[in-house]
Amino acid sequence: MAGFVAGIQILKGGGGIGGVTGVCKRERKAVLLRAEEEKRRGVEPDLGDVIPFAKKNDSRPENAEKVKELMEMLDSPEARIRLRAVVATKDLSNEESEPILCKVFDDGEKELNNLYFATLALGYKPNSRSFDLLMTLLDSEVEQEIRANALAALGYLNDPRAIPTLIRAVYEETHWTAKCAAVVSLGILKDPTAYDAILHALSMDSKGLDDMKISAVGALGEIGDERCLEHITGFAESDNFILRQILAESLANFTAPKALATLRILKQDPHPNVSKAAGYSLDHITKAQA
C-alpha cells in the first residue's frame, strides 16, 4: 500500500500547499520507483520516508513537556505560532499528537494553512477521534482544499467505514482535487465495491484530467479487477510519462495476457521511469508465478 500512496502523493504534487509534506517537486520522479523497488524485494516501504508527517515515532517520556508546550502554542493569537505546533506533530507518536490535533478542531481553528496541515495529520497520525473529526469536516462548509485533505486522510486511516463516503465523493464533490483524493483513498482501501466509482472517475472530463486519470489507474490497479484492463491499457500510448509509469506499476497486480503484453511494450518506453517500472512489474509477476 505504501508504494502506491507515496507514488500518487508525490506525483500529484507533494501533498499540500507550499510543500506541506516536505517533499520537493524535483523528487517526484524517483519516489514511486524507489518505493516500488523496495516493495518488489518484499519490503513494504515506509511512507514516512517520503512524507514526513507519516513517519512512525515511538512515544518518549521526554516528549511530555514538548506536548505541553505545543498545546500552549495553540492558544496563541498568532496563526503562524499555532501552525508551528501542528507541524511539530510530525516528530511525535500518534498518541502524543492526539491532544494537539484534536485541540485544533475543538478550538474551531479558522486559518486555512493550519486546518490544511491538521486535517492531513489526522490521517498520518491516526487517533481515536480521527474518523469522526474527518466526517464532521466533510459534513460542514469548508474550503475545497480542506475537503480534499479530509478525503485523503480517510484513506490513510484505512478504515472501511469510509468507503460509502469516498464513493459518494467521487460522484458528488464539485472540485476535481477532492474527487482525486477520494479515488486515491479508495485505491488504498482496495474494496471491490469501489470499482464502478473509480471507473467513472477515469472517464471524467475535468480541469485536472491527467491527475484524475493517474489517480484512477493507480486505484484500479490496487483493486485488481481484470475488467479494468480494457479501460487502462490504452494509456500506454499517453503523452504523459507519469500516467504511463502509474500504468506500469498498476499492471503488476495482473497476470492476464493483455496486461503482460502492455508491460512488454512499456518496458521499451523511452522514458527511464516507465521502462524501469515495467521491468519491476514483470519481475514481480514472474516471481509470483514461480
Side-chain angles (χ1 to χ4, degrees):
M1 179 185 75
F4 166 66
V5 179
I8 292 290
Q9 185 75 16
I10 304 314
L11 293 171
K12 289 181 64 188
I17 297 172
V20 165
T21 60
V23 182
C24 299
K25 290 183 178 180
R26 64 177 176 273
E27 294 179 301
R28 291 186 207 169
K29 293 187 213 175
V31 170
L32 183 62
L33 283 175
R34 186 164 65 247
E36 287 297 323
E37 184 173 7
E38 291 179 24
K39 186 176 179 182
R40 300 292 182 249
R41 293 172 181 165
V43 178
E44 183 70 9
D46 184 359
L47 188 59
D49 289 342
V50 291
I51 302 178
F53 253 135
K55 186 174 180 59
K56 303 299 182 186
N57 299 299
D58 295 325
S59 295
R60 296 182 296 177
E62 59 266 32
N63 281 343
E65 281 301 314
K66 182 175 183 180
V67 171
K68 182 180 178 181
E69 178 186 344
L70 295 175
M71 292 286 284
E72 292 173 354
M73 289 170 64
L74 289 177
D75 290 325
S76 171
E78 295 188 43
R80 63 181 181 84
I81 293 178
R82 300 196 304 275
L83 179 59
R84 282 169 50 199
V86 176
V87 174
T89 61
K90 70 183 177 63
D91 298 319
L92 301 176
S93 69
N94 295 354
E95 294 77 14
E96 292 164 341
S97 299
E98 179 170 0
I100 299 165
L101 297 176
C102 290
K103 182 174 171 58
V104 172
F105 297 95
D106 290 341
D107 289 353
E109 176 66 62
K110 300 298 183 185
E111 182 68 25
L112 179 60
N113 266 355
N114 297 10
L115 277 175
Y116 196 99
F117 273 77
T119 301
L120 269 181
L122 286 174
Y124 293 148
K125 302 286 184 179
N127 63 64
S128 60
R129 293 182 59 195
S130 285
F131 182 82
D132 290 337
L133 286 171
L134 291 169
M135 294 301 290
T136 298
L137 274 176
L138 290 170
D139 286 338
S140 63
E141 295 294 327
V142 293
E143 288 81 355
Q144 63 86 12
E145 294 97 332
I146 306 302
R147 298 189 68 79
N149 274 10
L151 292 164
L154 284 175
Y156 298 131
L157 290 181
N158 206 20
D159 189 328
R161 291 180 296 168
I163 292 170
T165 296
L166 293 169
I167 290 175
R168 187 166 60 250
V170 173
Y171 294 102
E172 297 181 3
E173 285 292 332
T174 57
H175 199 277
W176 65 270
T177 55
K179 290 178 183 289
C180 278
V183 169
V184 172
S185 288
L186 287 170
I188 295 170
L189 288 161
K190 300 184 181 181
D191 190 283
T193 62
Y195 175 82
D196 289 339
I198 299 172
L199 195 62
H200 171 75
L202 186 67
S203 64
M204 284 181 184
D205 185 15
S206 65
K207 180 181 178 182
L209 190 59
D210 279 349
D211 276 352
M212 187 70 76
K213 286 183 174 11
I214 288 167
S215 301
V217 169
L220 287 168
E222 290 296 300
I223 288 177
D225 188 322
E226 290 193 348
R227 292 178 296 168
C228 77
L229 293 176
E230 64 176 294
H231 302 284
I232 68 174
T233 50
F235 292 121
E237 299 179 2
S238 170
D239 292 335
N240 187 329
F241 86 87
I242 295 175
L243 181 52
R244 301 196 308 274
Q245 179 180 336
I246 291 293
L247 173 62
E249 295 289 343
S250 297
L251 292 177
N253 296 322
F254 302 94
T255 58
K258 191 174 187 67
L260 295 173
T262 303
L263 280 172
R264 293 187 186 103
I265 292 171
L266 290 170
K267 192 174 181 181
Q268 306 304 316
D269 195 278
H271 198 287
N273 281 30
V274 180
S275 57
K276 288 178 183 177
Y280 291 141
S281 292
L282 285 167
D283 288 346
H284 172 71
I285 293 170
T286 300
K287 290 174 183 176
Q289 291 178 328

